PDB file of all heavy atoms in Angstrom:
ATOM      1  N   PRO P   1      -7.878   2.269   3.175  1.00  0.00           N
ATOM      2  CA  PRO P   1      -8.415   1.821   4.461  1.00  0.00           C
ATOM      3  C   PRO P   1      -7.305   1.061   5.188  1.00  0.00           C
ATOM      4  O   PRO P   1      -6.591   0.278   4.559  1.00  0.00           O
ATOM      5  CB  PRO P   1      -9.554   0.873   4.077  1.00  0.00           C
ATOM      6  CG  PRO P   1      -9.820   1.130   2.633  1.00  0.00           C
ATOM      7  CD  PRO P   1      -8.540   1.624   2.038  1.00  0.00           C
ATOM      8  N   ILE P   2      -7.108   1.312   6.471  1.00  0.00           N
ATOM      9  CA  ILE P   2      -6.034   0.600   7.167  1.00  0.00           C
ATOM     10  C   ILE P   2      -6.302  -0.898   7.120  1.00  0.00           C
ATOM     11  O   ILE P   2      -7.454  -1.346   7.113  1.00  0.00           O
ATOM     12  CB  ILE P   2      -5.847   1.083   8.616  1.00  0.00           C
ATOM     13  CG1 ILE P   2      -7.089   0.816   9.469  1.00  0.00           C
ATOM     14  CG2 ILE P   2      -5.475   2.545   8.654  1.00  0.00           C
ATOM     15  CD1 ILE P   2      -6.831   0.982  10.940  1.00  0.00           C
ATOM     16  N   ALA P   3      -5.243  -1.670   7.080  1.00  0.00           N
ATOM     17  CA  ALA P   3      -5.371  -3.111   6.872  1.00  0.00           C
ATOM     18  C   ALA P   3      -5.957  -3.846   8.069  1.00  0.00           C
ATOM     19  O   ALA P   3      -6.503  -4.936   7.927  1.00  0.00           O
ATOM     20  CB  ALA P   3      -3.999  -3.693   6.523  1.00  0.00           C
ATOM     21  N   THR P   4      -5.832  -3.271   9.254  1.00  0.00           N
ATOM     22  CA  THR P   4      -6.321  -3.946  10.457  1.00  0.00           C
ATOM     23  C   THR P   4      -7.823  -3.749  10.595  1.00  0.00           C
ATOM     24  O   THR P   4      -8.293  -2.644  10.873  1.00  0.00           O
ATOM     25  CB  THR P   4      -5.623  -3.406  11.715  1.00  0.00           C
ATOM     26  OG1 THR P   4      -4.215  -3.587  11.580  1.00  0.00           O
ATOM     27  CG2 THR P   4      -6.104  -4.145  12.949  1.00  0.00           C
ATOM     28  N   ILE P   5      -8.577  -4.822  10.395  1.00  0.00           N
ATOM     29  CA  ILE P   5     -10.013  -4.822  10.643  1.00  0.00           C
ATOM     30  C   ILE P   5     -10.329  -5.957  11.608  1.00  0.00           C
ATOM     31  O   ILE P   5      -9.632  -6.974  11.644  1.00  0.00           O
ATOM     32  CB  ILE P   5     -10.829  -4.960   9.347  1.00  0.00           C
ATOM     33  CG1 ILE P   5     -10.469  -6.247   8.604  1.00  0.00           C
ATOM     34  CG2 ILE P   5     -10.618  -3.743   8.446  1.00  0.00           C
ATOM     35  CD1 ILE P   5     -11.315  -6.487   7.372  1.00  0.00           C
ATOM     36  N   LEU P   6     -11.363  -5.765  12.419  1.00  0.00           N
ATOM     37  CA  LEU P   6     -11.651  -6.716  13.494  1.00  0.00           C
ATOM     38  C   LEU P   6     -12.626  -7.802  13.064  1.00  0.00           C
ATOM     39  O   LEU P   6     -13.472  -8.256  13.833  1.00  0.00           O
ATOM     40  CB  LEU P   6     -12.190  -5.950  14.708  1.00  0.00           C
ATOM     41  CG  LEU P   6     -11.282  -4.838  15.241  1.00  0.00           C
ATOM     42  CD1 LEU P   6     -11.894  -4.178  16.463  1.00  0.00           C
ATOM     43  CD2 LEU P   6      -9.893  -5.381  15.562  1.00  0.00           C
ATOM     44  N   LYS P   7     -12.513  -8.228  11.815  1.00  0.00           N
ATOM     45  CA  LYS P   7     -13.333  -9.310  11.287  1.00  0.00           C
ATOM     46  C   LYS P   7     -12.442 -10.478  10.892  1.00  0.00           C
ATOM     47  O   LYS P   7     -11.260 -10.305  10.591  1.00  0.00           O
ATOM     48  CB  LYS P   7     -14.119  -8.840  10.063  1.00  0.00           C
ATOM     49  CG  LYS P   7     -15.206  -7.817  10.364  1.00  0.00           C
ATOM     50  CD  LYS P   7     -16.003  -7.502   9.110  1.00  0.00           C
ATOM     51  CE  LYS P   7     -17.156  -6.559   9.421  1.00  0.00           C
ATOM     52  NZ  LYS P   7     -17.996  -6.306   8.225  1.00  0.00           N
ATOM     53  N   GLU P   8     -13.002 -11.667  10.885  1.00  0.00           N
ATOM     54  CA  GLU P   8     -12.234 -12.845  10.485  1.00  0.00           C
ATOM     55  C   GLU P   8     -11.877 -12.763   9.007  1.00  0.00           C
ATOM     56  O   GLU P   8     -12.697 -12.404   8.169  1.00  0.00           O
ATOM     57  CB  GLU P   8     -13.029 -14.116  10.751  1.00  0.00           C
ATOM     58  CG  GLU P   8     -12.238 -15.388  10.455  1.00  0.00           C
ATOM     59  CD  GLU P   8     -12.988 -16.651  10.831  1.00  0.00           C
ATOM     60  OE1 GLU P   8     -12.886 -17.069  11.999  1.00  0.00           O
ATOM     61  OE2 GLU P   8     -13.676 -17.197   9.946  1.00  0.00           O
ATOM     62  N   GLN P   9     -10.602 -13.058   8.708  1.00  0.00           N
ATOM     63  CA  GLN P   9     -10.120 -13.054   7.325  1.00  0.00           C
ATOM     64  C   GLN P   9      -9.296 -14.311   7.072  1.00  0.00           C
ATOM     65  O   GLN P   9      -8.744 -14.909   8.001  1.00  0.00           O
ATOM     66  CB  GLN P   9      -9.247 -11.827   7.064  1.00  0.00           C
ATOM     67  CG  GLN P   9      -9.961 -10.503   7.247  1.00  0.00           C
ATOM     68  CD  GLN P   9      -9.021  -9.344   6.987  1.00  0.00           C
ATOM     69  OE1 GLN P   9      -8.852  -8.906   5.844  1.00  0.00           O
ATOM     70  NE2 GLN P   9      -8.386  -8.856   8.040  1.00  0.00           N
ATOM     71  N   ASN P  10      -9.196 -14.665   5.803  1.00  0.00           N
ATOM     72  CA  ASN P  10      -8.395 -15.819   5.425  1.00  0.00           C
ATOM     73  C   ASN P  10      -6.975 -15.379   5.094  1.00  0.00           C
ATOM     74  O   ASN P  10      -6.755 -14.319   4.509  1.00  0.00           O
ATOM     75  CB  ASN P  10      -9.009 -16.520   4.209  1.00  0.00           C
ATOM     76  CG  ASN P  10     -10.368 -17.113   4.517  1.00  0.00           C
ATOM     77  OD1 ASN P  10     -10.570 -17.699   5.583  1.00  0.00           O
ATOM     78  ND2 ASN P  10     -11.306 -16.966   3.596  1.00  0.00           N
ATOM     79  N   THR P  11      -6.009 -16.203   5.492  1.00  0.00           N
ATOM     80  CA  THR P  11      -4.606 -15.874   5.240  1.00  0.00           C
ATOM     81  C   THR P  11      -3.783 -17.156   5.286  1.00  0.00           C
ATOM     82  O   THR P  11      -4.337 -18.258   5.193  1.00  0.00           O
ATOM     83  CB  THR P  11      -4.109 -14.853   6.280  1.00  0.00           C
ATOM     84  OG1 THR P  11      -2.782 -14.436   5.920  1.00  0.00           O
ATOM     85  CG2 THR P  11      -4.116 -15.399   7.685  1.00  0.00           C
ATOM     86  N   VAL P  12      -2.472 -17.013   5.419  1.00  0.00           N
ATOM     87  CA  VAL P  12      -1.590 -18.165   5.618  1.00  0.00           C
ATOM     88  C   VAL P  12      -0.662 -17.862   6.783  1.00  0.00           C
ATOM     89  O   VAL P  12      -0.489 -16.704   7.168  1.00  0.00           O
ATOM     90  CB  VAL P  12      -0.753 -18.487   4.350  1.00  0.00           C
ATOM     91  CG1 VAL P  12      -1.650 -18.815   3.174  1.00  0.00           C
ATOM     92  CG2 VAL P  12       0.166 -17.328   4.010  1.00  0.00           C
ATOM     93  N   ASN P  13      -0.056 -18.889   7.354  1.00  0.00           N
ATOM     94  CA  ASN P  13       0.917 -18.687   8.427  1.00  0.00           C
ATOM     95  C   ASN P  13       2.324 -18.975   7.906  1.00  0.00           C
ATOM     96  O   ASN P  13       2.511 -19.308   6.733  1.00  0.00           O
ATOM     97  CB  ASN P  13       0.573 -19.538   9.649  1.00  0.00           C
ATOM     98  CG  ASN P  13       0.568 -21.031   9.347  1.00  0.00           C
ATOM     99  OD1 ASN P  13       1.243 -21.507   8.428  1.00  0.00           O
ATOM    100  ND2 ASN P  13      -0.205 -21.791  10.127  1.00  0.00           N
ATOM    101  N   LYS P  14       3.309 -18.827   8.777  1.00  0.00           N
ATOM    102  CA  LYS P  14       4.705 -18.959   8.343  1.00  0.00           C
ATOM    103  C   LYS P  14       5.063 -20.391   7.957  1.00  0.00           C
ATOM    104  O   LYS P  14       6.118 -20.626   7.356  1.00  0.00           O
ATOM    105  CB  LYS P  14       5.638 -18.450   9.423  1.00  0.00           C
ATOM    106  CG  LYS P  14       5.739 -19.317  10.661  1.00  0.00           C
ATOM    107  CD  LYS P  14       6.776 -18.739  11.610  1.00  0.00           C
ATOM    108  CE  LYS P  14       7.022 -19.649  12.808  1.00  0.00           C
ATOM    109  NZ  LYS P  14       8.057 -19.084  13.718  1.00  0.00           N
ATOM    110  N   HIS P  15       4.174 -21.342   8.266  1.00  0.00           N
ATOM    111  CA  HIS P  15       4.397 -22.737   7.890  1.00  0.00           C
ATOM    112  C   HIS P  15       3.773 -23.066   6.536  1.00  0.00           C
ATOM    113  O   HIS P  15       3.822 -24.213   6.091  1.00  0.00           O
ATOM    114  CB  HIS P  15       3.816 -23.663   8.958  1.00  0.00           C
ATOM    115  CG  HIS P  15       4.313 -23.379  10.346  1.00  0.00           C
ATOM    116  ND1 HIS P  15       5.625 -23.530  10.714  1.00  0.00           N
ATOM    117  CD2 HIS P  15       3.655 -22.920  11.451  1.00  0.00           C
ATOM    118  CE1 HIS P  15       5.781 -23.185  11.992  1.00  0.00           C
ATOM    119  NE2 HIS P  15       4.603 -22.813  12.454  1.00  0.00           N
ATOM    120  N   GLY P  16       3.174 -22.047   5.892  1.00  0.00           N
ATOM    121  CA  GLY P  16       2.567 -22.267   4.592  1.00  0.00           C
ATOM    122  C   GLY P  16       1.178 -22.865   4.661  1.00  0.00           C
ATOM    123  O   GLY P  16       0.653 -23.347   3.644  1.00  0.00           O
ATOM    124  N   GLU P  17       0.560 -22.812   5.823  1.00  0.00           N
ATOM    125  CA  GLU P  17      -0.785 -23.367   5.998  1.00  0.00           C
ATOM    126  C   GLU P  17      -1.835 -22.268   5.832  1.00  0.00           C
ATOM    127  O   GLU P  17      -1.661 -21.156   6.345  1.00  0.00           O
ATOM    128  CB  GLU P  17      -0.918 -23.985   7.392  1.00  0.00           C
ATOM    129  CG  GLU P  17       0.087 -25.095   7.657  1.00  0.00           C
ATOM    130  CD  GLU P  17       0.159 -25.462   9.141  1.00  0.00           C
ATOM    131  OE1 GLU P  17      -0.104 -24.579   9.988  1.00  0.00           O
ATOM    132  OE2 GLU P  17       0.473 -26.634   9.433  1.00  0.00           O
ATOM    133  N   GLU P  18      -2.909 -22.576   5.119  1.00  0.00           N
ATOM    134  CA  GLU P  18      -4.007 -21.637   4.985  1.00  0.00           C
ATOM    135  C   GLU P  18      -4.851 -21.671   6.257  1.00  0.00           C
ATOM    136  O   GLU P  18      -5.286 -22.741   6.692  1.00  0.00           O
ATOM    137  CB  GLU P  18      -4.860 -21.982   3.768  1.00  0.00           C
ATOM    138  CG  GLU P  18      -4.102 -21.816   2.452  1.00  0.00           C
ATOM    139  CD  GLU P  18      -4.989 -22.075   1.243  1.00  0.00           C
ATOM    140  OE1 GLU P  18      -6.156 -22.456   1.432  1.00  0.00           O
ATOM    141  OE2 GLU P  18      -4.495 -21.890   0.110  1.00  0.00           O
ATOM    142  N   VAL P  19      -5.057 -20.506   6.850  1.00  0.00           N
ATOM    143  CA  VAL P  19      -5.781 -20.419   8.128  1.00  0.00           C
ATOM    144  C   VAL P  19      -6.719 -19.209   8.104  1.00  0.00           C
ATOM    145  O   VAL P  19      -6.626 -18.345   7.233  1.00  0.00           O
ATOM    146  CB  VAL P  19      -4.807 -20.276   9.318  1.00  0.00           C
ATOM    147  CG1 VAL P  19      -3.917 -21.510   9.451  1.00  0.00           C
ATOM    148  CG2 VAL P  19      -3.950 -19.008   9.164  1.00  0.00           C
ATOM    149  N   ALA P  20      -7.593 -19.157   9.086  1.00  0.00           N
ATOM    150  CA  ALA P  20      -8.433 -17.977   9.306  1.00  0.00           C
ATOM    151  C   ALA P  20      -7.887 -17.253  10.534  1.00  0.00           C
ATOM    152  O   ALA P  20      -7.389 -17.881  11.475  1.00  0.00           O
ATOM    153  CB  ALA P  20      -9.883 -18.387   9.519  1.00  0.00           C
ATOM    154  N   THR P  21      -7.961 -15.947  10.525  1.00  0.00           N
ATOM    155  CA  THR P  21      -7.445 -15.187  11.663  1.00  0.00           C
ATOM    156  C   THR P  21      -8.343 -14.006  11.967  1.00  0.00           C
ATOM    157  O   THR P  21      -9.011 -13.457  11.090  1.00  0.00           O
ATOM    158  CB  THR P  21      -6.012 -14.674  11.374  1.00  0.00           C
ATOM    159  OG1 THR P  21      -5.479 -14.053  12.541  1.00  0.00           O
ATOM    160  CG2 THR P  21      -6.003 -13.659  10.245  1.00  0.00           C
ATOM    161  N   THR P  22      -8.351 -13.624  13.235  1.00  0.00           N
ATOM    162  CA  THR P  22      -9.071 -12.435  13.686  1.00  0.00           C
ATOM    163  C   THR P  22      -8.097 -11.576  14.476  1.00  0.00           C
ATOM    164  O   THR P  22      -7.469 -12.046  15.425  1.00  0.00           O
ATOM    165  CB  THR P  22     -10.268 -12.792  14.576  1.00  0.00           C
ATOM    166  OG1 THR P  22     -11.148 -13.658  13.847  1.00  0.00           O
ATOM    167  CG2 THR P  22     -11.036 -11.529  14.971  1.00  0.00           C
ATOM    168  N   VAL P  23      -7.953 -10.332  14.079  1.00  0.00           N
ATOM    169  CA  VAL P  23      -7.021  -9.421  14.735  1.00  0.00           C
ATOM    170  C   VAL P  23      -7.681  -8.818  15.969  1.00  0.00           C
ATOM    171  O   VAL P  23      -8.856  -8.462  15.953  1.00  0.00           O
ATOM    172  CB  VAL P  23      -6.594  -8.299  13.775  1.00  0.00           C
ATOM    173  CG1 VAL P  23      -5.678  -7.310  14.472  1.00  0.00           C
ATOM    174  CG2 VAL P  23      -5.893  -8.898  12.558  1.00  0.00           C
ATOM    175  N   LYS P  24      -6.894  -8.728  17.036  1.00  0.00           N
ATOM    176  CA  LYS P  24      -7.358  -8.088  18.255  1.00  0.00           C
ATOM    177  C   LYS P  24      -6.682  -6.719  18.386  1.00  0.00           C
ATOM    178  O   LYS P  24      -5.970  -6.286  17.511  1.00  0.00           O
ATOM    179  CB  LYS P  24      -7.025  -8.964  19.463  1.00  0.00           C
ATOM    180  CG  LYS P  24      -7.644 -10.354  19.428  1.00  0.00           C
ATOM    181  CD  LYS P  24      -7.211 -11.172  20.628  1.00  0.00           C
ATOM    182  CE  LYS P  24      -7.779 -12.589  20.562  1.00  0.00           C
ATOM    183  NZ  LYS P  24      -7.322 -13.414  21.716  1.00  0.00           N
ATOM    184  N   GLY P  25      -6.907  -6.056  19.504  1.00  0.00           N
ATOM    185  CA  GLY P  25      -6.215  -4.795  19.756  1.00  0.00           C
ATOM    186  C   GLY P  25      -7.083  -3.575  19.513  1.00  0.00           C
ATOM    187  O   GLY P  25      -8.285  -3.671  19.254  1.00  0.00           O
ATOM    188  N   ARG P  26      -6.431  -2.396  19.575  1.00  0.00           N
ATOM    189  CA  ARG P  26      -7.121  -1.107  19.441  1.00  0.00           C
ATOM    190  C   ARG P  26      -6.586  -0.396  18.208  1.00  0.00           C
ATOM    191  O   ARG P  26      -5.385  -0.158  18.098  1.00  0.00           O
ATOM    192  CB  ARG P  26      -6.874  -0.262  20.706  1.00  0.00           C
ATOM    193  CG  ARG P  26      -7.359  -0.934  21.991  1.00  0.00           C
ATOM    194  CD  ARG P  26      -6.617  -0.422  23.204  1.00  0.00           C
ATOM    195  NE  ARG P  26      -5.204  -0.770  23.171  1.00  0.00           N
ATOM    196  CZ  ARG P  26      -4.301  -0.299  24.031  1.00  0.00           C
ATOM    197  NH1 ARG P  26      -4.673   0.540  24.981  1.00  0.00           N
ATOM    198  NH2 ARG P  26      -3.042  -0.657  23.933  1.00  0.00           N
ATOM    199  N   HIS P  27      -7.492  -0.074  17.299  1.00  0.00           N
ATOM    200  CA  HIS P  27      -7.050   0.432  16.007  1.00  0.00           C
ATOM    201  C   HIS P  27      -7.975   1.540  15.499  1.00  0.00           C
ATOM    202  O   HIS P  27      -9.142   1.617  15.865  1.00  0.00           O
ATOM    203  CB  HIS P  27      -7.000  -0.717  14.993  1.00  0.00           C
ATOM    204  CG  HIS P  27      -6.223  -1.900  15.459  1.00  0.00           C
ATOM    205  ND1 HIS P  27      -4.850  -1.934  15.439  1.00  0.00           N
ATOM    206  CD2 HIS P  27      -6.629  -3.081  16.001  1.00  0.00           C
ATOM    207  CE1 HIS P  27      -4.429  -3.101  15.937  1.00  0.00           C
ATOM    208  NE2 HIS P  27      -5.496  -3.808  16.286  1.00  0.00           N
ATOM    209  N   ASP P  28      -7.442   2.381  14.613  1.00  0.00           N
ATOM    210  CA  ASP P  28      -8.228   3.446  14.008  1.00  0.00           C
ATOM    211  C   ASP P  28      -9.125   2.885  12.905  1.00  0.00           C
ATOM    212  O   ASP P  28      -8.634   2.158  12.034  1.00  0.00           O
ATOM    213  CB  ASP P  28      -7.309   4.493  13.377  1.00  0.00           C
ATOM    214  CG  ASP P  28      -6.515   5.275  14.399  1.00  0.00           C
ATOM    215  OD1 ASP P  28      -7.054   6.233  14.940  1.00  0.00           O
ATOM    216  OD2 ASP P  28      -5.338   4.914  14.651  1.00  0.00           O
ATOM    217  N   PRO P  29     -10.416   3.232  12.899  1.00  0.00           N
ATOM    218  CA  PRO P  29     -11.258   2.842  11.765  1.00  0.00           C
ATOM    219  C   PRO P  29     -10.935   3.664  10.520  1.00  0.00           C
ATOM    220  O   PRO P  29     -11.185   3.249   9.399  1.00  0.00           O
ATOM    221  CB  PRO P  29     -12.682   3.117  12.263  1.00  0.00           C
ATOM    222  CG  PRO P  29     -12.514   4.194  13.293  1.00  0.00           C
ATOM    223  CD  PRO P  29     -11.189   3.920  13.950  1.00  0.00           C
ATOM    224  N   CYS P  30     -10.367   4.853  10.736  1.00  0.00           N
ATOM    225  CA  CYS P  30      -9.954   5.733   9.641  1.00  0.00           C
ATOM    226  C   CYS P  30      -8.739   6.513  10.113  1.00  0.00           C
ATOM    227  O   CYS P  30      -8.785   7.172  11.151  1.00  0.00           O
ATOM    228  CB  CYS P  30     -11.086   6.688   9.255  1.00  0.00           C
ATOM    229  SG  CYS P  30     -10.656   7.839   7.927  1.00  0.00           S
TER     230      CYS P  30
END
C-alpha cells in the first residue's frame, strides 16, 4: 500500500521531536 494516507499518523521531525502529522495533496489509493 502506498505510504501516503490522508489520516493522522505519529512520527518524528528533524529535531528529534515526536509529533503527529497529516499529509495533504493528491495521491493514489492504489
Side-chain angles (χ1 to χ4, degrees):
I2 63 167
T4 302
I5 58 176
L6 304 182
K7 292 185 176 184
E8 185 175 273
Q9 299 179 86
N10 295 318
T11 186
V12 300
N13 61 26
K14 71 176 186 179
H15 306 295
E17 301 166 331
E18 295 184 356
V19 297
T21 186
T22 302
V23 177
K24 301 177 183 178
R26 301 156 295 171
H27 308 282
D28 292 277
C30 179

